[in-house]
Amino acid sequence: MKAQRHERASKIEKEDPRQNGYRTKCTTAVLKRLGVTNFKYCQTQSDVVSILRRHDWSVRSRRSQVGKISVGSLRKKLRTGRVDAGEWLVVFVDQHVLLIDRAGRTVVDTDPRQRDRRKIRAIYAIWDR
């Protein structure tokens, strides 16, 4: 098993990062909207957070403020002002990420929904430094 993992890791380093499949559409769209275009791969929550921090964004979790709610419920909380939002909120749901502004409007969502009942797995408020 170790030989396979090592072989895969060396293959990732050799490939052109702009042409390989190690960027997801949703994470790339969110980062591009925030002005971040120089990154090799981005698939997970920790990848997005570390890339934003490297590009001079202040990133803080807001999970304790919102609890276990859906994206639609988050929008209601933002409209009433019960969540300390930065300039934008990066919201992670199952296998997807979206960008919401402090008023609860969607800025970037590559998989939009009419009634958004997706459960929030992680949420980060971001500010420009």
Side-chain angles (χ1 to χ4, degrees), residues 109-125:
D109 189 2
T110 57
D111 184 21
R113 307 284 170 96
Q114 183 71 25
R115 295 178 189 253
D116 207 343
R117 296 180 180 152
R118 296 177 282 189
K119 295 294 179 191
I120 295 175
R121 301 293 176 219
I123 182 169
Y124 290 90

Side-chain angles (χ1 to χ4, degrees), residues 27-73:
T27 56
T28 303
V30 167
L31 291 173
K32 281 185 179 180
R33 175 61 178 90
L34 297 172
V36 178
T37 57
N38 187 15
F39 57 95
K40 291 184 180 180
Y41 62 91
C42 186
Q43 290 184 335
T44 64
Q45 171 186 335
S46 60
D47 292 341
V48 173
V49 171
S50 65
I51 288 170
L52 287 172
R53 286 182 175 152
R54 270 186 273 144
H55 287 85
D56 294 329
W57 287 95
S58 179
V59 182
R60 298 291 174 260
S61 176
R62 291 293 176 246
R63 180 67 178 174
S64 62
Q65 285 187 355
V66 298
K68 294 183 178 181
I69 61 172
S70 67
V71 176
S73 300

Side-chain angles (χ1 to χ4, degrees), residues 95-110:
Q95 300 179 357
H96 189 63
V97 62
L98 57 135
L99 186 67
I100 297 176
D101 66 359
R102 71 175 83 187
R105 295 181 301 259
T106 302
V107 179
V108 176
D109 189 2
T110 57

